[in-house]
Amino acid sequence: MKFDLVIRNGRIVSPQRTYAGDDIAVKDGKIAAIDRSGSFSDSKKTIDAAGKYILPGIIDAHVHFREPGYEYKEDFGTGSTAAACGGVTTVMDMPNNLPFCSTPAALKEKLRKIKSKAYVDYGLVVAIVGETVELIPALARAGANVFKIFMGSTVGGVPAPDDGGMLRAFERVRETGLRVGVHAENNPIMDYFTTKLKAAGRTDPLAHVEARPAVAEAEAVQRAILLARTAGCRLHICHLSSREGVVLVRAARAGGMDVSAETGPHYLLLDENYMKKVGGIMKINPPVRSRDHAEALWQGILDGTIGMIDTDHSPHSREEKFNDDIWKVSPGFVGVETTVPLMLTQVNAGRLSLNHYVKLAAENPARAFNLYPRKGAIAVGSDGDFTIVDLDREGTIDGNKLHSRNTVTPFDGWKVKGMPVYAVVRGNIVMKDGEIVGRPKGRHIKAIVRF
């Protein structure tokens, strides 16, 4: 058999083990065989991964590629280029577009617009707003991968259903077997502190942190857990940022509830004091908090409470990010291109193993969002998705060299050790040494649903 791609001489990494001595062959987009080195002699393309580590394709399950409606910030072409150049091979794109991706018609139109632009594979997250709760089964049939409820204020002003509507939404999603993600923040609490801080004349960066205290996240996480447990719905907590949130998710999981949680590199590696240095560049919702919260998040990763590393990649123009008045700064920044080197640096520093990173960034998101084992695994029959990394390669994050349309990042100038050198999507080499190779061949990957 003539294969489309053979990867030779690398060390294969799974959550359970790292081993050398086998080569991987891909045919028609799927892993066709894994066998001892030298077994596959006939292939259209070959990657020599000697000295490198072969990971399952990295999944970023929380990106905002902004199309349709906000293409001046990002579009699927520039966003997926950044993903591929960062070693990410599959993304989950968020729904706060114009119009909101909350109806079958909007979902189908979004799929049409982005179809020919993506360099990586993608799933789509669909927003649940009050009037669309009963459309959930139709949305699942139309290709929704995940549903999302914005409990707190967000870019685009996606309205949250009331608590009764949330409960009904969880019941309807349960019927599909898919998962609901929540942006968990309590608006009345945040409105109270925002009003108070503005009245006091506060416009400094830390006012944003104080306006969104940990209790605002914790209350919303607790409410979402209660409603999801009542409905029997699978729940996902987006961008967990607080010690209190970790405690609540840990208790829910210990009680047998199917609740997953993600955090991002910025919550792990930055703290609120860094905001004094970079200002509104670091503004994001929920905010980056004090170091004790970061340490609680690390503990949550190590004990399995937090199962995913995602980025909340959310680019804005420079005009939207640079303002002396923090209330006028848009929340969010790029992340999809920097997450792999940042986390590999932590692997090199000994904060987590490479195997655990693969679990967080490949296997767990694939399992949580009904894509496993098509995604998230190096196994015969799985998609031929690989992130090949050089743990010894060093570099510096340079915002001017990132591939998003807007590239403002609080990590500008950070030294990293451990870099992605190839990104392969269904056997197609899409990135080599940090630059795009070939044409966009990304596809929408449908989740497995119950009907």
Side-chain angles (χ1 to χ4, degrees):
M1 178 187 297
K2 186 169 186 176
F3 297 106
D4 298 320
L5 175 69
V6 169
I7 305 176
R8 305 185 189 280
N9 303 323
R11 299 180 182 179
I12 299 171
V13 185
S14 75
Q16 294 76 32
R17 64 179 183 139
T18 301
Y19 64 99
D22 281 352
D23 295 343
I24 304 168
V26 180
K27 178 73 173 177
D28 297 329
K30 301 287 186 181
I31 298 174
I34 302 172
D35 208 341
R36 65 186 184 280
S37 294
S39 296
F40 313 122
S41 58
D42 194 5
S43 177
K44 296 176 183 176
K45 293 184 178 180
T46 301
I47 294 175
D48 185 351
K52 313 297 192 299
Y53 293 82
I54 306 167
L55 281 53
I58 298 298
I59 299 170
D60 188 343
H62 192 143
V63 304
H64 297 262
F65 284 174
R66 303 299 193 196
E67 188 172 4
Y70 296 103
E71 287 89 346
Y72 75 94
K73 300 174 188 278
E74 187 82 287
D75 64 36
F76 233 83
T78 57
S80 64
T81 296
C85 289
V88 172
T89 62
T90 301
V91 297
M92 294 285 182
D93 189 56
M94 293 294 140
N96 38 340
N97 308 122
L98 286 176
F100 304 142
C101 189
S102 60
T103 66
L107 175 59
K108 290 175 182 177
E109 178 62 10
K110 182 171 179 175
L111 285 167
R112 185 191 68 79
K113 281 181 172 289
I114 67 181
K115 183 177 181 180
S116 62
K117 298 181 179 181
Y119 283 93
V120 301
D121 284 351
Y122 52 91
L124 295 186
V125 183
V126 174
I128 298 174
V129 297
E131 64 271 21
T132 65
V133 169
E134 299 305 324
L135 296 177
I136 286 170
L139 284 160
R141 294 187 186 96
N145 292 81
V146 190
F147 295 92
K148 187 171 183 181
I149 293 175
F150 292 86
M151 300 173 73
S153 60
T154 187
V155 173
V158 182
D162 58 26
D163 290 348
M166 280 184 62
L167 180 59
R168 177 59 175 160
F170 287 163
E171 291 171 343
R172 302 257 41 200
V173 174
R174 180 198 65 221
E175 299 167 4
T176 70
L178 298 178
R179 193 175 292 267
V180 177
V182 293
H183 177 132
E185 289 186 289
N186 177 296
N187 266 334
I189 291 175
M190 295 187 299
D191 289 345
Y192 169 80
F193 284 105
T194 299
T195 299
K196 189 175 179 180
L197 289 160
K198 285 183 175 180
R202 292 280 301 279
T203 59
D204 59 285
L206 287 180
H208 173 69
V209 182
E210 294 175 33
R212 306 175 91 99
V215 67
E217 178 174 87
E219 188 284 329
V221 168
Q222 181 168 289
R223 181 160 34 107
I225 287 172
L226 175 62
L227 294 175
R229 180 187 288 122
T230 300
C233 178
R234 303 168 73 216
L235 179 66
H236 180 67
I237 308 297
C238 297
H239 40 53
L240 196 64
S241 69
S242 70
R243 176 182 59 248
E244 292 84 347
V246 174
V247 170
L248 290 165
V249 173
R250 183 180 289 122
R253 289 175 59 84
M257 186 174 172
D258 187 351
V259 54
S260 57
E262 68 183 47
T263 196
H266 45 289
Y267 296 118
L268 298 169
L269 304 178
L270 305 175
D271 61 45
E272 60 186 18
N273 288 324
Y274 195 70
M275 203 167 185
K276 297 175 184 176
K277 176 181 178 180
V278 300
I281 290 174
M282 209 172 97
K283 181 179 178 180
I284 196 165
N285 298 336
V288 174
R289 308 185 190 278
S290 57
R291 177 50 48 186
D292 59 320
H293 289 284
E295 291 305 319
L297 293 167
W298 271 113
Q299 184 57 46
I301 283 173
L302 296 175
D303 69 19
T305 300
I306 298 171
M308 298 180 216
I309 300 290
D310 297 319
T311 66
D312 195 7
H313 173 90
S314 44
H316 299 283
S317 68
R318 295 185 66 84
E319 291 76 17
E320 292 168 323
K321 289 301 294 181
F322 289 89
N323 197 300
D324 291 336
D325 184 344
I326 196 62
W327 310 115
K328 296 179 181 178
V329 175
S330 294
F333 44 78
V334 296
V336 73
E337 192 169 349
T338 57
T339 182
V340 174
L342 285 169
M343 296 312 300
L344 291 179
T345 302
Q346 299 308 301
V347 170
N348 273 311
R351 290 224 69 169
L352 76 166
S353 70
L354 188 59
N355 306 91
H356 194 168
Y357 177 57
V358 165
K359 192 173 186 68
L360 293 165
E363 182 179 296
N364 281 355
R367 287 186 182 276
F369 302 123
N370 296 26
L371 300 178
Y372 189 86
R374 180 173 181 181
K375 303 293 186 184
I378 296 178
V380 173
S382 296
D383 280 359
D385 295 353
F386 310 98
T387 302
I388 302 177
V389 304
D390 183 343
L391 282 183
D392 295 322
R393 183 174 296 191
E394 299 182 8
T396 302
I397 294 173
D398 183 347
N400 293 322
K401 295 181 179 179
L402 298 178
H403 292 79
S404 286
R405 175 155 292 149
N406 290 285
T407 59
V408 177
T409 169
F411 293 108
D412 189 48
W414 277 51
K415 305 293 185 183
V416 291
K417 183 178 180 181
M419 304 282 284
V421 293
Y422 282 95
V424 180
V425 179
R426 286 177 288 99
N428 300 297
I429 301 171
V430 296
M431 180 274 286
K432 180 180 179 181
D433 292 327
E435 296 298 332
I436 288 293
V437 177
R439 298 179 292 105
K441 296 181 179 180
R443 295 178 183 172
H444 177 227
I445 306 299
K446 286 192 174 183
I448 301 167
V449 296
R450 288 179 178 164
F451 52 80

